[in-house]
Amino acid sequence: MGTINAVINITNLGLLSALIFTFAKIYRNSRANFTLGLIFFCGLLMINSIISVYSYITMSMLFSDQLVPYLLAISIAEMAGFIIFLKITLE
């Protein structure tokens, strides 16, 4: 299940990259400080996802089997949030 968590977090990295790219395009056109804040926020979320992927790959043997389903639920909830955020941004 740790591998599934890593795959979901890699997907989250892709979604966050798409968000950053979209916000960068918006910033180029509008120069609004709000979009800079969104880019910074997405960057911090990317750092979180990178650390999560790294921890799942290198420290999966340290995670209790009882903990992994909760981590998977958190990753899935994050992915759903990023998908909704990207959908709203693209509209």
Side-chain angles (χ1 to χ4, degrees):
M1 250 201 223
T3 306
I4 296 170
N5 274 330
V7 169
I8 289 173
N9 276 291
I10 290 170
T11 304
N12 287 346
L13 284 169
L15 292 167
L16 287 165
S17 296
L19 279 165
I20 287 175
F21 177 76
T22 303
F23 291 138
K25 278 177 52 177
I26 293 169
Y27 180 74
R28 263 186 265 134
N29 294 332
S30 68
R31 298 287 186 213
N33 287 334
F34 180 71
T35 53
L36 281 179
L38 290 171
I39 292 169
F40 180 73
F41 178 69
C42 288
L44 292 175
L45 289 171
M46 283 186 85
I47 292 170
N48 177 47
S49 290
I50 290 167
I51 292 170
S52 294
V53 169
Y54 178 76
S55 69
Y56 293 137
I57 291 171
T58 61
M59 296 184 284
S60 61
M61 66 290 239
L62 300 176
F63 293 142
S64 167
D65 289 338
Q66 297 168 340
L67 180 65
V68 174
Y70 295 104
L71 296 173
L72 180 62
I74 291 168
S75 296
I76 290 171
E78 285 178 349
M79 186 172 63
F82 296 150
I83 290 169
I84 292 167
F85 193 23
L86 184 59
K87 183 180 181 306
I88 290 169
T89 300
L90 294 175
E91 288 181 352

